Amino acid sequence: MEPSVPKMTPPPPSRSAKQYALRFISGKYQGGEFPLPNSKEIVVGRSSELDMVLVEDMVSRRHAKITVTGDQIFIQDLGSTNGTFVNGEKIKRARLQEGDRILIGTSIIKLVAADSAAPDAGAANLEDVAAGRRTSQVRTMSGSIAEIPLPDLMQLFTASKKSGVLVIRTDHDVGKIYFDGGGVVYAVVNDNFDVPPLKSLYRVLTWVDGTFDMEPPEDRQFSEPINMSTEGILMEAMRQIDEVRRLGPDMPPMHASISLAMPMIPPLRDLSAEELDVLQLAYNYGHVETILNKSLASDVDTCQILVNLLKNGFLRVE
């Protein structure tokens, strides 16, 4: 009797590594995408013989190297003049995760999942994308704040020591944030320079939809410039945003009109000096945004007072 031969179970099919791509979400090549092949090094720079060629002054001839090994992706700066940044931090070498944002020159690039069926499609000609975007007035950095939240954008500009005016446009408002060597020096909404710059800046940081353009620096002097680190600005902005959100639907929208409640039942003597100031602003202007602009208190403090005045029967929303 012949010995039985054990059946050999065929090995499971190897799982192909996830495919990734570098998507340009701001800058000269915005809208372009560079699929990353598996197990390969990609050298990025201005030199024409490289794998990814970015033709702009702030990119070195050999700027950075991206190494792909299966699902692991690393980026290394190659001693570039202006540096390589990942999520706002200047790096020498870093491992990339899906969703990370890379800043090289004036290009903000996002690591995204790609269609595994076409790993090489469109890898070569980013210049075609750039040519399609050229207009009579080329903006070096532009994009959507839904794609790149403003806090991330501010950190990127601070880390890369950029100077210029970040212009943010929504359906109703235009905000400007002035940078000098990476520091935030001023901010204004709708060119209303009567509003303190920090108040304007915190308000702009609440915006989540709109577009941005980084425009050249302006030759402008500010009588009361912002003297606060970007980290400190963002921490205070997040605190104020959280406080206002806790007010929920009790806080009327910026465009709402309010007026004195008539008849006014509660006695005015029950109000503090700060509450009386906001009540007077409501009587004089009757518009939430104008009340916030004119108030000497911060937006969050003024919002809390407005909600209390509404709840206690001193004001009403029209």
Side-chain angles (χ1 to χ4, degrees), residues 193-263:
F193 287 91
D194 292 334
V195 179
L198 269 175
K199 182 179 283 193
S200 295
L201 180 54
Y202 294 146
R203 201 173 296 172
V204 170
L205 286 169
T206 66
W207 300 351
V208 293
D209 291 303
T211 60
F212 72 86
D213 295 289
M214 189 61 165
E215 298 186 345
E218 293 182 4
D219 186 14
R220 181 191 289 269
Q221 298 295 321
F222 300 107
S223 58
E224 297 181 5
I226 293 172
N227 185 20
M228 192 174 180
S229 69
T230 299
E231 182 182 5
I233 289 169
L234 294 177
M235 287 180 64
E236 176 60 17
M238 294 307 104
R239 183 193 73 81
Q240 291 198 21
I241 290 169
D242 287 343
E243 291 292 330
V244 172
R245 282 177 179 162
R246 288 195 184 100
L247 299 175
D250 292 332
M251 178 60 201
M254 294 285 280
H255 58 78
S257 296
I258 60 177
S259 62
L260 297 183
M262 299 298 288

Side-chain angles (χ1 to χ4, degrees), residues 80-145:
S80 65
T81 301
N82 293 299
T84 302
F85 299 83
V86 176
N87 298 329
E89 295 185 9
K90 190 173 186 178
I91 59 97
K92 291 184 177 179
R93 186 174 186 270
R95 183 175 177 183
L96 296 175
Q97 304 288 341
E98 186 175 345
D100 282 350
R101 297 178 181 89
I102 306 160
L103 178 67
I104 295 177
T106 63
S107 292
I108 301 177
I109 310 164
K110 187 176 182 180
L111 181 66
V112 299
D115 181 3
S116 60
D120 297 321
N125 222 333
L126 290 171
E127 285 304 315
D128 286 348
V129 174
R133 294 190 69 243
R134 288 192 187 108
T135 63
S136 58
Q137 182 180 6
V138 176
R139 299 188 188 276
T140 55
M141 299 191 76
S142 62
S144 163
I145 62 172

Side-chain angles (χ1 to χ4, degrees), residues 8-121:
M8 301 296 293
T9 303
S14 60
R15 183 175 62 87
S16 59
K18 187 175 182 179
Q19 299 288 340
Y20 291 95
L22 298 175
R23 178 177 297 160
F24 287 75
I25 57 178
S26 178
K28 177 180 179 181
Y29 304 100
Q30 182 182 347
E33 198 164 292
F34 189 103
L36 293 175
N38 292 327
S39 303
K40 186 177 179 180
E41 287 185 351
I42 304 294
V43 180
V44 183
R46 202 173 68 245
S47 184
S48 59
E49 73 271 9
L50 301 182
D51 305 290
M52 182 190 289
V53 181
L54 304 180
V55 184
E56 56 170 294
D57 292 341
M58 291 185 66
V59 176
S60 298
R61 290 183 62 80
R62 288 173 57 86
H63 195 106
K65 178 175 68 177
I66 297 171
T67 304
V68 184
T69 307
D71 284 342
Q72 295 192 22
I73 304 172
F74 292 89
I75 186 167
Q76 177 183 347
D77 185 78
L78 298 177
S80 65
T81 301
N82 293 299
T84 302
F85 299 83
V86 176
N87 298 329
E89 295 185 9
K90 190 173 186 178
I91 59 97
K92 291 184 177 179
R93 186 174 186 270
R95 183 175 177 183
L96 296 175
Q97 304 288 341
E98 186 175 345
D100 282 350
R101 297 178 181 89
I102 306 160
L103 178 67
I104 295 177
T106 63
S107 292
I108 301 177
I109 310 164
K110 187 176 182 180
L111 181 66
V112 299
D115 181 3
S116 60
D120 297 321

